[in-house]
C-alpha cells in the first residue's frame, strides 16, 4: 500500500529515534571496551614499578659460574647460577642523574592520572547512569579520557627515554662500563602506555563529539515530509531584511494617503478663509 504524505513525518521521526538508539548502543559498548583496555594498561604500568628487570646483563665466569646483573629505577640486583641473589637500594636520592628522576616522576604521574581517569569514566559512562544529563556525562567522560591520554603519553615518554638510553649505551663503542640490555619491565611499560593512549584517544573523540558539538537549537527547524531544513545565519538575516522591506512597502500607501488627506484639509481651510474675506 502507498502511504500518504501525512504518514511520512511520523516514519521519519521513528527512523530518527531508532538510529539514535542504535548509535547510543554502539557508543555504550565502545566505552565498555575502552574502559577494559585502559584499566589493563593502567595495571601493566603499575606492575612495572616492583619489577626488578628493567635492565639486565649476563657475565660468564670461570667453570660454571654465571652472574646476572639487573636493575630498575629503585635498586640494583645481582644473582648467580646457584640461585643466590642480592639487591641493594640506591643509597642517595640526590646522587642520581636527572633522567632517573624524570622517569620516576612521569610514571607516578601516569599512574595517578589513570586512576582518576577510571573514576571519572565510571561516573560518566552511559551504562552506569550515575551522573546527570547526557551532556554532563559526556563532559565527565571526556575529562576521564583526557586523563587516560595524558597519563599514557607520560608513561610512553618515560619508558621510551629509558629504553633509548640503554640502547645508546649498548651501541656506543666508547662506553667502557658494563653494558645492559632492555628488560621485561620496559616492554610491559610500552604495552601498558600504548593501551592507555589508545583507550584515552577513543574516549576523547566519542565523548568530545557529544559534549562539545555545535547546537542549532537557537534557530527554528522547518520540517518538510522527508526533509529537514535548518536555516543558517545568512538565510535568517536575508529573511529579516526582506520582511523589513515588505513592511516598508506595505506601509507606504497609507502614508501617502494620510499626506494627501492633510493637503486637502489645508486647501479647504484656505478656500474658506478667502471666501469669507471676499464676502466682507
Amino acid at each position: 500500500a502507498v502511504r500518504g504524505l501525512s504518514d511520512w513525518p511520523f516514519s521519519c521521526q521513528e527512523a530518527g529515534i531508532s538510529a539514535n538508539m542504535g548509535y547510543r548502543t554502539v557508543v555504550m559498548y565502545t566505552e565498555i571496551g575502552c574502559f577494559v583496555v585502559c584499566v589493563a594498561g593502567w595495571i601493566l604500568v603499575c606492575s612495572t614499578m616492583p619489577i626488578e628487570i628493567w635492565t639486565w646483563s649476563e657475565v660468564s665466569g670461570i667453570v660454571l659460574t654465571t652472574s646476572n646483573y639487573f636493575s630498575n629505577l629503585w635498586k640494583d640486583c645481582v644473582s648467580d647460577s646457584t640461585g643466590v641473589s642480592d639487591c641493594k637500594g640506591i643509597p642517595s636520592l640526590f646522587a642520581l642523574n636527572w633522567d632517573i628522576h624524570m622517569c620516576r616522576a612521569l610514571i607516578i604521574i601516569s599512574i595517578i592520572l589513570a586512576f582518576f581517569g577510571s573514576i571519572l569514566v565510571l561516573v560518566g559512562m552511559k551504562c552506569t547512569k550515575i551522573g546527570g544529563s547526557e551532556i554532563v556525562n559526556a563532559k565527565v567522560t571526556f575529562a576521564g579520557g583526557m586523563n587516560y591520554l595524558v597519563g599514557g603519553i607520560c608513561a610512553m615518554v618515560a619508558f621510551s627515554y629509558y629504553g633509548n638510553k640503554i640502547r645508546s649505551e649498548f651501541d656506543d663503542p666508547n662506553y667502557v662500563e658494563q653494558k645492559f640490555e632492555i628488560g621485561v619491565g620496559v616492554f610491559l611499560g610500552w604495552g601498558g602506555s600504548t593501551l592507555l593512549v589508545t583507550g584515552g584517544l577513543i574516549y576523547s573523540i566519542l565523548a568530545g563529539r557529544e559534549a562539545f558539538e555545535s547546537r542549532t537549537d537557537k534557530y527554528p527547524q522547518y520540517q518538510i515530509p522527508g526533509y529537514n531544513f535548518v536555516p543558517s545565519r545568512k538565510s535568517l538575516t536575508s529573511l529579516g531584511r526582506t520582511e523589513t522591506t515588505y513592511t516598508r512597502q506595505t506601509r507606504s500607501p497609507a502614508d501617502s494617503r494620510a499626506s494627501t488627506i492633510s493637503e486637502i484639509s489645508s486647501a479647504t481651510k484656505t478656500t474658506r478663509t478667502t471666501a469669507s474675506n471676499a464676502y466682507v
Side-chain angles (χ1 to χ4, degrees), residues 41-120:
W42 178 63
I43 293 174
L44 286 177
V45 173
C46 292
S47 66
T48 60
M49 301 299 287
I51 290 179
E52 299 172 350
I53 308 176
W54 281 45
T55 61
W56 67 277
S57 177
E58 181 177 336
V59 179
S60 299
I62 304 174
V63 193
L64 298 178
T65 304
T66 303
S67 298
N68 296 320
Y69 297 91
F70 47 94
S71 63
N72 59 4
L73 296 176
W74 312 97
K75 55 186 175 181
D76 299 325
C77 301
V78 59
S79 65
D80 53 19
S81 57
T82 60
V84 178
S85 62
D86 185 20
C87 294
K88 179 181 179 181
I90 298 175
S92 175
L93 181 65
F94 297 102
L96 288 175
N97 294 330
W98 63 272
D99 51 358
I100 302 297
H101 289 292
M102 181 192 69
C103 292
R104 286 180 175 181
L106 287 176
I107 294 174
I108 293 174
I109 291 173
S110 173
I111 293 173
I112 295 174
L113 288 177
F115 174 75
F116 285 106
S118 301
I119 297 176
L120 292 174

Side-chain angles (χ1 to χ4, degrees), residues 48-227:
T48 60
M49 301 299 287
I51 290 179
E52 299 172 350
I53 308 176
W54 281 45
T55 61
W56 67 277
S57 177
E58 181 177 336
V59 179
S60 299
I62 304 174
V63 193
L64 298 178
T65 304
T66 303
S67 298
N68 296 320
Y69 297 91
F70 47 94
S71 63
N72 59 4
L73 296 176
W74 312 97
K75 55 186 175 181
D76 299 325
C77 301
V78 59
S79 65
D80 53 19
S81 57
T82 60
V84 178
S85 62
D86 185 20
C87 294
K88 179 181 179 181
I90 298 175
S92 175
L93 181 65
F94 297 102
L96 288 175
N97 294 330
W98 63 272
D99 51 358
I100 302 297
H101 289 292
M102 181 192 69
C103 292
R104 286 180 175 181
L106 287 176
I107 294 174
I108 293 174
I109 291 173
S110 173
I111 293 173
I112 295 174
L113 288 177
F115 174 75
F116 285 106
S118 301
I119 297 176
L120 292 174
V121 164
L122 281 176
V123 173
M125 287 174 62
K126 297 183 181 300
C127 61
T128 55
K129 299 180 181 180
I130 299 178
S133 62
E134 293 288 336
I135 303 300
V136 174
N137 286 344
K139 290 182 179 180
V140 173
T141 307
F142 177 78
M146 289 302 297
N147 279 3
Y148 279 138
L149 182 60
V150 175
I153 292 175
C154 290
M156 181 67 74
V157 170
F159 291 113
S160 299
Y161 179 84
Y162 196 82
N164 182 68
K165 178 184 177 183
I166 298 172
R167 182 205 56 82
S168 61
E169 291 178 354
F170 187 86
D171 294 336
D172 189 4
N174 298 323
Y175 189 76
V176 296
E177 298 182 7
Q178 185 177 357
K179 296 183 178 181
F180 293 87
E181 296 185 11
I182 299 175
V184 64
V186 179
F187 289 106
L188 289 177
W190 277 332
S193 57
T194 302
L195 293 178
L196 285 176
V197 170
T198 304
L201 186 61
I202 297 175
Y203 265 131
S204 302
I205 292 174
L206 290 179
R209 290 178 59 185
E210 184 177 355
F212 304 104
E213 64 180 355
S214 58
R215 297 195 169 273
T216 57
D217 297 341
K218 62 179 70 176
Y219 305 114
Q221 296 186 5
Y222 301 98
Q223 185 173 1
I224 303 175
Y227 300 90

